[in-house]
């Protein structure tokens, strides 16, 4: 049996004593836990970014991995904290929708527990840091082999992140940028198949600006070229070869992107 | 028995080949060591920041964890390197006071060894990188089960970081910012209890500026509001809801903060 | 037997869902793998930086460590992917020379396999992310104990990174900056012994500018002093004490550096 995997995703920043404290709390309860940093640079309090980040990374992890997510603008208010079991993964999350895009993508039905069993929490519970005082110790106890229902009661309602759906119309698909990667590549919510269905001469626009190139891989065009391609997530991506499309186009999450069939142009 | 935990705290930056080299050295000696990154972004050569960072995070780790700290402006001079055993934790540190705030907070008596047994070091010892050549290999050998006194002689004098003490006067407490977190929240050295003792109408000032709001948790006020609250360290904190108090107030470590009872205003 | 060590070096940025996905893929295949982050901040697509980074860090790791390197401007084109066995280390790399400086430094003969056994890959293979779909799963299978030749055929030709060689002339050595660390220290390719051979009164120049100080360790000079010393890599380094030589001198990788014997000045 391998040691239990516990991943961490936060908006605390890499230099944060808050991350260090959470690692200490988890290992203090289960020194066998195998900590894996996913990201500590989710844009502050951006549950939308967290939603896309988790959907893009969690599915690869092995069965029974535990994922602690602390992107929590509502800390200390009465928002719930949840333990979600979904497609073999277990997540510990604030009830702010950060995990529901992952659920939508997997198409599986989650089992959701609202955390309430206070004997697994650190006391006194800080009003500003439930990651350290509730989520981390619950994750550690879960990694020791406890059952979902030990931590609270099942619930059937929770906050959902409403992912913007692309509009697939006649001869065109309208979507938007959902994630900017660290190269400045623009990852959209437009499925690659929807673009392919428009035919060979499809034009791609970011806002009002035409993206002239179409490639399969970055280096098929020259450095500096603005190109559209299929992202590693299977969706339409706009990139500048060896540069940043986000900087070039002043684009960010939410920027509209359209694919237009040449026949309808 | 779980694998030994060895944490790393440096000012090398996340991208540093120095961090990578230290990880290699530790694993090269003890491949069972369980490496945990705490921070590699301590502000360059800031022993004060390191002191507060370690005091805020080390106490959560399990008994017999090993913590390697490389914030070392005096590398290559005759400052000593220490192995500190404190409240069940073991630290490998330059003798620059980076660990004494942790000792003060725990209230326990440390056992301190000055590293001198050179057969555990890498040779030749670089004049600029004792982290790789002395602290990392000593940490790795310690993780293999060697005893404190194998590494050098006990000492009873060391450099102390003098943490600024808040002045608790009649109707007011004067302190300062000791840590700015990655959200720009200002963590002070003023105990939450000292503020509570001033009574309900207490005013908080950062420099000359009044902090209008008092909340228990960030989201009790509107985005953009400047508020005072109790930090997750139990001390007075000043924050901008979903913003940065450090940027708004041009505040940093050392900025004076005062809590004033309304009765004495 | 200890768990297999798998290190990660990429240019994806610390916040990247691509790194998180690769970690998931590796652990999904071998949950016993012990992941170690080396750097995710190699300057985007800089194989030269990666070459120096790997040469400076990989040699410290224990025998049979596995190192996954994704600095891959040519992803999706017909550049090969390689499994390199070198001096006890195993590397999974794009064929862009990022590993050959390490080979040159160790002086050992590498065994090189061109990855071709597709049953170890994730399918469909993305045209933009071979790190997730080929390198990560091959690393994970290798960590399970498979043999080199299971993954493809041996090759004897590969792309070499041509490291700039210092010119050692009569009374002078001409080299360049090869790495800037996070403090802004300038690490050159000039061997410390070559400088020592020039004698005591040797002058060091960065471009046309004289470096006035010579020290063994940073703190032998005052804060702000511009000094030359021997780096922890054993090469000539130029630093500003408690400051950044890169900023002060507007220097970067490639900036010429010269050491001149006083007798020949």
């Amino acid at each position: 049996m391998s040691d239990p995997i516990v991943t961490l995703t936060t908006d605390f920043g890499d230099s944060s004593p808050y991350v260090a404290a959470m690692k200490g709390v988890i290992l203090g309860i289960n020194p066998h836990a195998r900590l894996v940093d996913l990201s500590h640079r989710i844009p502050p309090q951006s549950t939308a970014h967290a939603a896309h980040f988790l959907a893009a990374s969690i599915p690869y992890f092995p069965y029974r991995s535990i994922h602690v997510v602390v992107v929590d603008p509502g800390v200390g208010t009465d928002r719930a904290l949840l333990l979600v079991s979904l497609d073999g993964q277990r997540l510990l999350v604030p009830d702010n929708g950060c995990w529901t895009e992952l659920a939508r993508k997997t198409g599986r039905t989650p089992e959701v527990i609202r955390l309430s069993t206070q004997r697994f929490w650190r006391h006194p519970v800080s009003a500003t840091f439930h990651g350290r005082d509730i989520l981390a110790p619950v994750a550690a106890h879960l990694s020791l082999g406890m059952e979902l229902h030990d931590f609270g009661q099942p619930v059937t309602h929770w906050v959902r992140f409403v992912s913007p759906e692309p509009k697939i119309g006649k001869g065109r698909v309208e979507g938007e940028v959902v994630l900017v990667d660290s190269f400045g590549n623009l990852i959209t919510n437009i499925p690659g198949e929807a673009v392919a269905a428009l035919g060979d001469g499809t034009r791609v626009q970011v806002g009002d600006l035409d993206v002239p190139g179409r490639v399969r891989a970055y280096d098929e065009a020259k450095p500096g070229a603005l190109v559209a391609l299929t992202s590693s997530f299977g969706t339409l991506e706009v990139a500048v070869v060896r540069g940043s499309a986000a900087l070039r186009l002043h684009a960010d999450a939410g920027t509209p992107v359209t694919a237009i069939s040449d026949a309808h142009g």
Side-chain angles (χ1 to χ4, degrees), chain A:
Chain A
M1 184 87 172
S2 58
D3 287 335
I5 292 165
V6 180
T7 81
L8 298 172
T9 303
T10 78
D11 61 358
F12 289 153
D14 293 309
S15 61
S16 175
Y18 305 133
V19 173
M22 287 181 62
K23 291 180 175 180
V25 168
I26 293 170
L27 292 171
I29 294 167
N30 184 2
H32 292 273
R34 190 172 291 237
L35 299 179
V36 180
D37 291 299
L38 295 196
S39 173
H40 300 295
R41 298 172 157 259
I42 301 294
Q45 305 163 338
S46 173
T47 51
H49 188 101
H52 289 291
F53 182 94
L54 296 173
S57 54
I58 299 300
Y60 300 107
F61 278 83
Y63 183 70
R64 293 183 70 78
S65 295
I66 297 169
H67 308 281
V68 180
V69 183
V70 191
V71 179
D72 191 14
V75 62
T77 62
D78 59 359
R79 67 93 189 81
L81 291 169
L82 304 177
L83 166 51
V84 177
S85 178
L86 174 69
D87 199 24
Q89 311 286 340
R90 281 92 51 91
L91 294 101
L92 285 153
V93 292
D95 183 16
N96 58 24
C98 64
W99 62 278
T100 60
E101 177 70 7
L102 171 67
R104 192 183 68 82
K105 238 177 106 177
T106 61
R108 298 303 189 83
T109 304
E111 188 178 347
V112 183
I113 303 288
R114 181 179 172 137
L115 300 183
S116 61
T117 313
Q118 302 198 7
R119 68 190 164 96
F120 297 116
W121 305 1
R122 291 187 73 253
H123 296 280
V125 171
S126 156
T128 58
F129 196 6
H130 290 177
R132 178 192 63 192
D133 295 338
I134 303 179
L135 297 179
V138 167
H141 282 104
L142 183 65
S143 78
L144 288 169
M146 307 201 64
E147 301 297 326
L148 297 189
H149 59 253
D150 291 330
F151 298 100
Q153 298 301 320
V155 290
T156 53
H157 289 81
W158 47 80
V159 174
R160 280 162 213 273
F161 168 70
V162 182
S163 176
E165 288 281 342
K167 289 183 205 158
I168 302 184
K170 197 175 173 188
R172 60 190 290 141
V173 186
E174 296 173 12
E176 62 184 68
V177 176
V178 291
L179 204 68
V180 178
D181 74 18
S182 60
F183 299 101
N185 299 326
L186 311 174
I187 314 297
T188 75
N189 61 346
I190 300 178
E193 307 84 47
V195 180
L198 295 176
D200 275 350
T202 305
R203 288 187 295 123
V204 171
Q205 291 185 327
V206 176
D208 292 334
L209 192 85
D210 268 312
V211 176
R214 285 295 295 280
V215 296
R216 217 179 61 89
Y218 304 114
D219 260 23
E220 292 176 12
K222 294 203 169 130
L226 179 64
V227 298
L229 70 168
T230 303
S231 78
S232 60
F233 307 115
T235 57
L236 179 65
E237 171 177 339
V238 174
V240 166
V241 178
R242 305 202 186 195
S244 167
L247 289 177
R248 171 91 68 89
L249 306 182
H250 304 287
D252 205 342
T255 299
V257 176
T258 316
I260 307 163
S261 165
D262 218 25
H264 293 74

